[in-house]
Amino acid sequence: MTVGFIMLCHDALERAAQIARHWAERDCPMVIHVDSRVSAARFRKFRDAVKDLDNVAFSPRVKCEWGGWSLVSATLKASEIMLREFPQAHHIYLASGTCLPLRSVSELKTYLAERADTSFIESVTTADVPWTKGGLDSERFTLRFPFSWKKQRFLFDAYVQLQRRLKFKRRIPYGIRPHMGSQWWCLTRRSLKAILEDPRRREFERYFQRVWIPDESYFQTLVRLHPGRVESRSLTLSKFDFQGKPHIFYDDHLQLLRRSDCFVARKIWPQADRLYTHFLSGDDNSTNLAEPNPGKIDRIFAKAIERRTRGRAGLYMVSRFPRAEYDNGRTCARYSIFEGFGDLFHDFPNWLHRATGVRAHGHLFGPDRAEFADGQRVYSGALSDNPRLRDYNCNAFLTNLLWNTRGERQAFLFGPRDTQDIAGFFAFDPNAEIKVVTGAWAVPLFQSDAPFSEIRREAARLQKIESAHLNLLRGPHVKARVSIWSMADFVEAPLEPLQGLVEDTGTWNARKLTEAPRMKELTGFGQFLQNLKNEGMNPYMMGDFPSGDGPDVEKPDIRKPYIVR
Amino acid sequence: MIARRDAGARPATPQDRSARALWQAYRWRWGRRRLLARALAKRRQLRVVADRTSSIAPGAVLAFLCLRNEAQRLPYLLQHYRGLGVDHFLVVDNGSDDGSDALLSGEPDISLWRTDASYRLARFGLDWVTWLQIRHGHGHWCLTVDADELLVYPFWQTRPLPALCHELARRGRSSMAALMLDLYPKGRVGDTPYRAGDDPLDRIDWFDAGNYTIRRQPGQDSLWVQGGPRARCFFADAPRRAPTLNKLPLVFWNRRHVYLNSTHAALPPRLNRAYDDDGGEQLSGALLHTKFLDQIVTRSGEERLRGEHFANSALYDRYYEALTENPTLWTPQSTRYRGWRHLEALGLMSRGGWI
């Protein structure tokens, strides 16, 4: 009792001959089909290479068309020869010329002998599979496909569309339920014989000749009509990328393949000498009885498909540059922006760092330089603090900073004195958390010694910028989480918002506020605002500050001298 | 898992068919023809030194190089690309006088042409290379690099270029993008001596990991990447003039293709679509740029006088000046090169689902 191999080849014939010899010398009969597109000379060379093996037969050559009936036809012809010529084959294994045995023949024989009445063929109904991504699934069986998908794509698509529009449907032969699955199977002699000798074979063949990709459905469907156990999985490890094309294994997959405990893998890169040498020189008498375990490989490949299709969020590089409207991950991590806090408190970034553990920068988009944390001139990833470099592409500056520091929450100050272009980016980023105290930009003006006319002009300018910025933040399509306080409200009861801020921003659990940041001296601020008003400017961003100095008036010594004209 | 899961009726790809886009495409078409005609005209400037192109087999991977005085870099360069599986090198020697031609003319896998004409007027050598590509590149995967660029890509040590090209072809791609990664030493650039044949990465192995800026060039469908140490140190006041760092070194060539400006972009514009704009990642590599070996300091003075490297050379005087002053590019935030997996983790290249 042994296992017979049917091998379909069209390329890399030297490797195919090597594999054929490996199996045939270990008493596995082989029937080889070589695509008739292979030149006569190459075919002769191949045949001569295995001439000395008496259990190798060649089946009539067919021109194989991808996704067409010819592949099934070639398999059927080879199967007939296998059943006729090699009665000792108890299981028949369909393989390709680029397959590579990963475990010894004796292990495969033992494995199959223990499951003598089981066919291993992936066979799933179209209704039960989740892979209907705009492709064809059940329509494979109900439409006609006279055009080649590879060469006549336009006609193929157009004809599918036409049939859909006309609601054309083919009749599926009585009694069969379409199943699909991997092309590479291992059937028992009994099952294969039953399929080949089915009295309705002509009818089925006529039907499947017009089905799309029949090599994935002919045997998969018909095996269900006959008695015998079916294990719906393939013994051949074969992975597909998201375009549905088979992945190729290279030398560096050696350990992965070894640990998979699968019997056969495809496709192998023909020049992968290390793989061929390793797996073809294995111990013939090994007795590893492990079940095939492609789980790990499955996970790795699933991850690879995700990398290819979804990529790493927040990464911009030469081969990934999402369109602006693609906002699933503008940036790679959450971050916080504090507006007004830097003006209102002494040394706010340092306090924030102590209170929450986040990396707190100063005004990253400040006019003089990017104020990185700890006063660094060049930051993570060799990001320069030069304002011109930064403003040349400020979106990239921010995404780079977040990418370079991923794993560590970032926060920075922002205000109307900074480069405003970036606001149009972070306002629409769900990763951004923005806390604004409006009008706080006036505090540095309040403390400045500049002539009042200049202060007034500057106040008007900043207020205009902040007003536009708030309009942006209050817009209907903003994705960032925004909290806004007017300065008057905030100053009245700062502890509660600060506690909330620490809870939202904090990266560790100790979120009880132990130390409040030191607020700047605001005595006389109300009067300052009144002075601005007196000069004809309306500072409304701060909210309702009492125009007089209220209770603070009693402390004249701290009061700043004002230039009141 | 099942074979060919998505290979169904093709999803409708939104193609821009507006009048503007068609006009743009028409203009590129003529631009491309003009460049091809230029290359045809400039072919007379090339003189054959050694023509071994008859040995190029179908399917061979070809490398095209245009160089001048690179005797120091050449031994390692050839070793690197031979190791990657380049079958044949087609080299234009632009007036070398340091023995580069002697290094090249005797090798069985190198065809060599020589010219003493102006590099700048030949579109920085592209006209010559384009002519060779028209003649010999058609139907081959063609690698076009400078003598100071070493291509690395995911799995390059175990999977040679033919495997990479096969993979790209399997995905239906005809080009691969790479980021040009400027490498520099720790310390002043002129103070680390390099001997011909050494691995440059033993001398200069630091780079900027995360200060690259990208914008789209809508007309030609390509990206424009800038940044790196040169932008940081020499172009901080005029970032727009900082060197372009995206390249398309590997293209499945057709005799009607042409590189547009250096190897940053090519025509037809679809070749520039080596990136994914739908959130996914395409397969890409990196060109390790070994410009900042010790000779840079002496060579910069010479290059500045020749004025052959920039269309508007005077604007770059300060750049050359800074280089002749033996600058330090290294910062405490520089990253040390630890191989392609590290570059991939940093997001500077991607395996794009190739595993």
Side-chain angles (χ1 to χ4, degrees):
Chain A
M1 203 172 85
T2 180
V3 49
F5 283 92
I6 295 170
M7 185 190 260
L8 308 178
C9 323
H10 65 97
D11 206 2
L13 295 186
E14 293 75 21
R15 287 299 186 191
Q18 192 183 359
I19 301 296
R21 173 168 293 278
H22 176 84
W23 277 327
E25 279 176 350
R26 284 155 186 79
D27 196 27
C28 298
M30 303 280 308
V31 179
I32 299 173
H33 174 265
V34 180
D35 193 327
S36 70
R37 278 177 302 186
V38 171
S39 72
R42 287 185 64 206
F43 175 64
R44 248 198 322 277
K45 199 172 151 214
F46 181 27
R47 210 178 43 191
D48 291 347
V50 292
K51 199 165 55 179
D52 55 318
L53 302 162
D54 55 3
N55 55 352
V56 175
F58 283 86
S59 67
R61 295 173 63 191
V62 174
K63 185 174 170 188
C64 290
E65 173 104 31
W66 185 89
W69 170 254
S70 45
L71 276 169
V72 182
S73 162
T75 312
L76 285 171
K77 283 181 179 140
S79 303
E80 280 165 6
I81 295 173
M82 174 64 78
L83 295 183
R84 193 173 65 233
E85 303 285 330
F86 303 109
Q88 72 271 36
H90 188 268
H91 270 90
I92 289 89
Y93 200 124
L94 180 63
S96 84
T98 51
C99 284
L100 176 67
L102 304 184
R103 291 170 66 177
S104 71
V105 170
S106 62
E107 281 176 30
L108 177 62
K109 283 182 184 166
T110 319
Y111 186 86
L112 292 176
E114 283 173 7
R115 297 155 180 84
D117 193 34
T118 305
S119 295
F120 295 88
I121 177 166
E122 193 181 29
S123 157
V124 194
T125 60
T126 53
D128 300 332
V129 288
W131 14 268
T132 56
K133 289 190 241 158
L136 295 162
D137 42 83
S138 63
E139 286 175 327
R140 288 181 182 204
F141 300 99
T142 57
L143 301 183
R144 286 171 181 275
F145 302 93
F147 299 108
S148 159
W149 185 75
K150 276 201 167 162
K151 289 185 196 138
Q152 302 159 304
R153 184 77 69 89
F154 178 75
L155 287 172
F156 183 98
D157 289 347
Y159 199 60
V160 166
Q161 286 302 334
L162 180 71
Q163 294 177 81
R164 281 177 183 163
R165 197 155 302 159
L166 297 178
K167 304 221 179 336
F168 171 83
K169 279 230 162 99
R170 292 181 71 196
R171 199 181 57 78
I172 298 175
Y174 168 76
I176 71 170
R177 268 188 81 200
H179 284 65
M180 306 197 301
S182 163
Q183 180 189 355
W184 312 106
W185 42 251
C186 176
L187 296 179
T188 58
R189 182 180 197 87
R190 199 161 70 116
S191 282
L192 187 59
K193 202 169 163 163
I195 290 173
L196 291 177
E197 291 174 358
D198 194 304
R200 292 172 70 195
R201 181 172 155 191
R202 289 270 146 261
E203 181 195 346
F204 293 149
E205 279 189 10
R206 235 185 354 263
Y207 169 74
F208 276 100
Q209 274 172 23
R210 293 268 179 272
V211 162
W212 193 49
I213 320 188
D215 49 315
E216 289 184 354
S217 58
Y218 181 81
F219 293 96
Q220 288 73 1
T221 302
L222 296 186
V223 74
R224 298 281 182 183
L225 292 183
H226 303 287
R229 243 179 74 81
V230 172
E231 279 256 340
S232 179
R233 64 185 160 99
S234 174
L235 292 182
T236 301
L237 174 72
S238 175
K239 304 299 301 181
F240 293 86
D241 66 8
F242 86 113
Q243 291 171 306
K245 294 179 176 166
H247 262 297
I248 296 173
F249 292 104
Y250 303 91
D251 276 344
D252 44 81
H253 289 123
L254 179 67
Q255 293 308 324
L256 197 67
L257 289 175
R258 238 162 56 90
R259 274 180 304 210
S260 75
D261 281 330
C262 291
F263 288 103
V264 175
R266 102 177 273 273
K267 300 168 87 163
I268 308 293
W269 175 246
Q271 279 83 49
D273 294 333
R274 219 175 122 217
L275 287 188
Y276 278 97
T277 320
H278 178 88
F279 286 110
L280 294 185
S281 63
D283 180 10
D284 280 340
N285 301 313
S286 56
T287 50
N288 174 12
L289 295 177
E291 274 283 338
N293 173 26
K296 186 172 178 210
I297 293 189
D298 286 345
R299 280 193 297 280
I300 290 176
F301 278 79
K303 254 166 82 182
I305 289 175
E306 192 180 321
R307 173 67 64 90
R308 171 65 193 86
T309 54
R310 298 192 41 86
R312 288 170 275 184
L315 172 64
Y316 299 85
M317 60 177 298
V318 287
S319 57
R320 179 184 202 265
F321 196 70
R323 287 185 301 266
E325 63 266 25
Y326 178 92
D327 53 14
N328 177 25
R330 285 190 155 196
T331 49
C332 66
R334 288 177 58 189
Y335 55 101
S336 306
I337 298 157
F338 294 96
E339 305 186 11
F341 289 81
D343 299 325
L344 201 53
F345 295 104
H346 287 286
D347 206 9
F348 183 75
N350 269 332
W351 170 82
L352 187 67
H353 176 66
R354 283 197 305 276
T356 62
V358 301
R359 179 66 56 201
H361 303 278
H363 285 268
L364 273 188
F365 294 89
D368 303 327
R369 50 179 286 260
E371 295 169 10
F372 293 121
D374 307 327
Q376 295 193 54
R377 305 304 306 260
V378 181
Y379 206 64
S380 187
L383 211 51
S384 163
D385 70 344
N386 184 297
R388 287 208 190 173
L389 274 179
R390 178 198 67 201
D391 291 348
Y392 178 56
N393 190 337
C394 52
N395 296 3
F397 177 84
L398 182 58
T399 54
N400 275 337
L401 176 79
L402 294 169
W403 177 261
N404 294 343
T405 57
R406 52 198 191 282
E408 182 191 50
R409 175 93 180 238
Q410 305 290 311
F412 61 91
L413 302 177
F414 190 73
R417 292 176 182 85
D418 299 350
T419 302
Q420 293 296 305
D421 292 352
I422 190 63
F425 179 81
F426 64 60
F428 302 102
D429 181 8
N431 277 329
E433 197 163 289
I434 308 174
K435 314 249 178 216
V436 189
V437 177
T438 64
W441 45 262
V443 177
L445 292 182
F446 159 60
Q447 293 173 332
S448 109
D449 299 328
F452 197 73
S453 61
E454 253 174 49
I455 289 180
R456 185 210 171 287
R457 207 175 324 120
E458 180 68 359
R461 186 181 76 88
L462 296 178
Q463 176 154 276
K464 206 167 151 194
I465 294 174
E466 178 155 85
S467 165
H469 178 63
L470 287 181
N471 278 343
L472 176 77
L473 292 186
R474 289 180 172 133
H477 304 296
V478 164
K479 297 255 170 55
R481 271 156 305 164
V482 183
S483 334
I484 302 177
W485 298 271
S486 77
M487 185 174 157
D489 292 349
F490 191 89
V491 168
E492 204 164 280
L495 275 184
E496 194 181 331
L498 283 174
Q499 176 69 44
L501 173 159
V502 168
E503 277 166 16
D504 289 350
T505 316
T507 47
W508 56 52
N509 289 330
R511 282 174 177 173
K512 195 82 190 120
L513 195 57
T514 50
E515 169 206 0
R518 198 156 61 82
M519 202 181 286
K520 287 188 181 160
E521 183 55 56
L522 289 179
T523 314
F525 189 68
Q527 185 58 48
F528 170 71
L529 294 182
Q530 185 58 46
N531 292 344
L532 283 172
K533 283 180 195 159
N534 295 347
E535 283 294 309
M537 188 221 156
N538 179 21
Y540 59 92
M541 279 294 169
M542 302 79 194
D544 286 330
F545 255 88
S547 59
D549 278 322
D552 293 336
V553 175
E554 273 81 63
K555 292 185 272 176
D557 50 329
I558 320 171
R559 203 164 171 186
K560 291 215 145 207
Y562 290 119
I563 304 144
V564 182
R565 285 176 298 173
Chain B
M1 300 276 277
I2 268 202
R4 302 161 191 167
R5 44 180 50 198
D6 280 346
R10 194 163 39 166
T13 46
Q15 230 169 9
D16 196 354
R17 292 260 175 230
S18 66
R20 204 191 144 94
L22 289 176
W23 172 240
Q24 178 68 272
Y26 181 75
R27 283 186 40 187
W28 281 132
R29 194 178 176 86
W30 277 102
R32 181 169 56 78
R33 288 175 175 169
R34 189 176 58 79
L35 294 179
L36 286 171
R38 257 184 92 123
L40 230 62
K42 289 277 162 69
R43 74 184 190 275
R44 301 195 189 287
Q45 297 179 344
L46 294 177
R47 189 168 51 75
V48 179
V49 178
D51 187 349
R52 302 188 178 91
T53 50
S54 55
S55 66
I56 296 176
V61 178
L62 309 181
F64 292 84
L65 274 164
C66 178
L67 53 82
R68 185 185 125 78
N69 287 349
E70 293 290 0
Q72 275 216 304
R73 287 193 178 91
L74 267 176
Y76 189 79
L77 181 90
L78 294 175
Q79 182 193 334
H80 179 79
Y81 285 113
R82 278 177 183 144
L84 283 186
V86 168
D87 294 296
H88 201 90
F89 295 84
L90 297 99
V91 188
V92 176
D93 171 17
N94 182 201
S96 294
D97 52 16
D98 69 341
S100 295
D101 47 344
L103 275 173
L104 294 164
S105 57
E107 302 288 322
D109 58 348
I110 298 180
S111 297
L112 182 64
W113 287 262
R114 188 179 167 95
T115 178
D116 293 316
S118 164
Y119 180 71
R120 184 164 56 88
L121 294 180
R123 284 205 301 135
F124 310 105
L126 274 187
D127 286 339
W128 304 321
V129 167
T130 304
W131 163 246
L132 295 182
Q133 282 167 333
I134 295 173
R135 272 300 304 278
H136 305 289
H138 184 74
H140 290 272
W141 280 93
C142 292
L143 187 71
T144 311
V145 288
D146 290 342
D148 56 3
E149 294 171 346
L150 301 172
L151 178 71
V152 296
Y153 52 85
F155 306 102
W156 65 275
Q157 289 109 329
T158 45
R159 303 180 196 177
L161 277 171
L164 173 70
C165 297
H166 181 269
E167 174 68 18
L168 290 169
R170 199 178 67 84
R171 298 167 172 225
R173 322 257 4 141
S174 43
S175 60
M176 186 187 80
L179 174 73
M180 193 154 72
L181 198 64
D182 289 335
L183 297 172
Y184 48 83
K186 187 172 180 172
R188 293 187 174 274
V189 294
D191 294 356
T192 335
Y194 173 77
R195 241 188 28 235
D198 290 351
D199 184 348
L201 287 165
D202 292 342
R203 299 285 175 279
I204 50 172
D205 55 349
W206 294 85
F207 62 93
D208 284 12
N211 58 9
Y212 301 94
T213 62
I214 309 183
R215 56 187 68 201
R216 206 185 304 269
Q217 299 274 76
Q220 44 187 273
D221 224 359
S222 67
L223 298 180
W224 184 16
V225 183
Q226 292 171 288
R230 281 184 284 170
R232 174 163 58 80
C233 298
F234 308 129
F235 293 93
D237 291 330
R240 219 187 144 72
R241 270 208 285 281
T244 303
L245 299 179
N246 53 308
K247 291 223 162 185
L248 284 175
L250 192 60
V251 174
F252 184 69
W253 207 262
N254 183 295
R255 62 170 74 87
R256 309 186 71 81
H257 290 173
V258 65
Y259 275 119
L260 193 55
N261 51 340
S262 177
T263 53
H264 303 307
L267 291 177
R270 67 179 160 78
L271 292 176
N272 301 328
R273 258 314 171 98
Y275 60 96
D276 193 312
D277 66 354
D278 221 14
E281 288 177 28
Q282 292 282 8
L283 179 51
S284 61
L287 283 167
L288 305 179
H289 196 209
T290 62
K291 187 184 183 67
F292 298 107
L293 286 172
D294 54 346
Q295 320 100 304
I296 181 78
V297 177
T298 46
R299 273 187 84 157
S300 294
E302 186 192 330
E303 292 300 341
R304 182 180 162 196
L305 292 179
R306 281 180 75 228
E308 288 276 336
H309 274 276
F310 292 98
N312 200 346
S313 292
L315 287 175
Y316 291 87
D317 274 356
R318 269 197 51 207
Y319 168 53
Y320 284 127
E321 222 172 85
L323 277 176
T324 46
E325 283 160 12
N326 196 8
T328 302
L329 301 179
W330 189 86
T331 80
Q333 298 289 354
S334 296
T335 309
R336 192 164 197 167
Y337 180 74
R338 301 206 312 257
W340 70 265
R341 284 177 198 276
H342 184 210
L343 293 188
E344 211 226 351
L346 290 171
L348 296 172
M349 61 153 94
S350 174
R351 64 184 89 182
W354 192 33
I355 53 167

